Amino acid sequence: MSPPPTPLTVIGIGADGWDGLAPAGREALRTAEVVIGGPRQLDLLPPDCAAERVPWPSPLRPAVPGLLAAHTGREVCVLASGDPMFFGVGRTLTELLGPGALRVLPHPSSVSYACARLGWAQETTEVISLVGRPLAALSRALYPGRRLLVLSAGAGTPAEVAGLLRDRGFGPTRMRVLEQLGGAREHAVEGTAEAWPHPPGDPLNVIALDCAPAPDAPRLSAVPGLPDAAYEHDGQLTKRHIRAATLAALAPAPGELLWDVGGGSGSIAVEWMRAHPACRAVSVERDPVRATRITRNATTLGVPALRVVTGAAPAALTGLPTPDAVFVGGGATTPGLLEACWTALPPGGRLVVNTVTLESEALLTTWYTRHGGDLTRLAVSHAAPVGGFTGWRQAMPVTQWSTTKAPVPGETR
């Protein structure tokens, strides 16, 4: 949409309300003709702010263009909680209007207040927002000794977080719920997830977690190669050591999108997304039962945003967003599949294909001859009982072809 003719003033406000605003924020609100915000923020304004008060409709994002257009030519202020550019409405407005159309006056965020109260260094504290986001997203950040701040969706969020921690084997985690930070009614309660004793409190709260696993909790690494037991599967699973080598070849980077074609149990897509919160993936699986299982695995392992497409490739690939990397874990010999994946990749995109059959291996050799890259044989053996002794039991070897699509001469990506 076109930016408004005068900059839109976006003002951060905390639980301390009008008293906590800087002079520039107060002056902007006093002279505004229209103030847009959530009901809670609007209620913090004093009576001498004579502007028309307009609450945000829900859902917010699609309503913004029409709402601003209705007040064209008027002095408009937008109220936001804390720092508008930190999990706030400032990001939405910037994406819609452009940064030049905004004048942002931030307030200390709830995270700033929480770290000040806890004595935690903000730069080493991970923040997980559950406002408008699934609870399962918290699972990806659970590691022993990790400090997390969780932005609550409401009064019931602490109990929901406690339940998830128990389910994930982190019951001993110390939880502190900090309510109305910076305001006159600031209050804190604490306990452990396994015995969370508190009823729902104030809906404006932040949850501080000192992550501690139970003695029998499975250890999940921050790098690819999770234990096979971390996944629900029916045997269609890229095994741990092959999976780690596959993710190394795919080389995920923040913000990139993976196509996981022939998802099986979804392990490649799941661990691609666990590599960084901004990584995205689409898992394509023709079997509806397996597709549902992929969704459950993604939820359990903290990447509920994984998109699962139920359908047979290559037809199911039509209309998907352009990938940065493609993994083919099954069905490489399906007519037109590799061609469709190769065509979809932009210059610089990566393609990795794993196979265990001679027919697929012959096909990969042809593609390797045509496009180069690396053709690798991966063989893994595990120690196993041999009578009263121990010997090596070899898993079926995997042939892996990986390559990067070269740019077309004269084109830039």
Side-chain angles (χ1 to χ4, degrees), residues 3-21:
T6 57
L8 189 69
T9 302
V10 185
I11 302 169
I13 191 168
D16 48 0
W18 183 259
D19 292 339
L21 290 177

Side-chain angles (χ1 to χ4, degrees), residues 94-411:
T94 299
E95 291 172 351
L96 291 172
L97 304 176
L102 304 181
R103 175 188 177 219
V104 180
L105 304 177
H107 185 279
S109 69
S110 58
V111 169
S112 297
Y113 277 118
C115 286
R117 302 294 187 265
L118 298 165
W120 290 3
Q122 190 169 338
E123 70 271 15
T124 60
T125 301
E126 186 171 357
V127 179
I128 306 294
S129 176
L130 297 182
V131 181
R133 296 169 173 84
L135 177 68
L138 177 60
S139 299
R140 187 198 59 82
L142 299 178
Y143 295 101
R146 189 70 171 148
R147 288 174 169 174
L148 304 175
L149 285 179
V150 180
L151 306 184
S152 280
T157 303
E160 294 173 356
V161 167
L164 181 138
L165 291 169
R166 292 192 296 269
D167 291 344
R168 300 294 184 265
F170 277 78
T173 294
R174 181 188 184 189
M175 294 179 55
R176 284 172 279 185
V177 178
L178 312 174
E179 302 174 348
Q180 289 285 333
L181 281 163
R185 295 188 292 115
E186 184 173 317
H187 178 64
V189 296
E190 72 170 270
T192 62
E194 60 193 355
W196 184 246
H198 304 288
D202 194 285
L204 190 63
N205 70 81
V206 175
I207 308 167
L209 303 179
D210 290 281
C211 296
D216 59 347
R219 182 174 178 86
L220 301 181
S221 172
V223 300
L226 298 183
D228 293 346
Y231 293 93
E232 179 187 346
H233 64 92
D234 60 359
Q236 291 296 314
L237 174 73
T238 301
K239 301 302 190 292
R240 180 180 195 175
H241 299 90
I242 303 300
R243 192 184 328 126
T246 300
L247 267 295
L250 286 167
E256 290 190 326
L257 173 68
L258 171 74
W259 285 4
D260 177 19
V261 182
S265 300
S267 62
I268 296 296
V270 165
E271 295 191 31
W272 169 280
M273 292 185 67
R274 283 175 61 91
H276 191 274
C279 285
R280 300 165 295 136
V282 179
S283 188
V284 179
E285 171 55 54
R286 65 180 180 181
D287 186 316
V289 173
R290 288 176 179 163
T292 301
R293 188 179 294 122
I294 291 171
T295 298
R296 289 199 298 269
N297 282 329
T299 299
T300 299
L301 293 168
V303 289
L306 171 61
R307 178 183 174 187
V308 180
V309 173
T310 304
L317 306 178
T318 302
L320 295 183
T322 300
D324 297 284
V326 176
F327 171 65
V328 179
T333 56
T334 301
L337 176 58
L338 293 187
E339 288 82 359
C341 293
W342 186 255
T343 300
L345 277 174
R350 288 94 63 201
L351 175 63
V352 177
V353 186
N354 287 358
T355 187
V356 295
T357 68
L358 291 176
E359 292 78 7
S360 294
E361 185 177 280
L363 179 63
L364 294 191
T365 302
T366 300
W367 279 76
Y368 167 70
T369 303
R370 186 185 309 162
H371 296 288
D374 293 305
L375 194 61
T376 307
R377 174 70 62 84
L378 303 172
V380 178
S381 299
H382 297 275
V386 180
F389 298 92
T390 304
W392 293 108
R393 179 166 296 164
Q394 183 172 339
M396 185 176 291
V398 173
T399 299
Q400 180 182 94
W401 175 54
S402 60
T403 192
T404 299
K405 189 172 183 178
V408 176
E411 289 188 1

Side-chain angles (χ1 to χ4, degrees), residues 23-47:
R26 294 186 186 185
E27 180 62 22
L29 289 166
R30 283 196 179 103
T31 59
E33 297 174 89
V34 179
V35 178
I36 304 172
R40 183 176 61 80
Q41 286 89 29
L42 294 173
D43 287 344
L44 295 172
L45 299 181

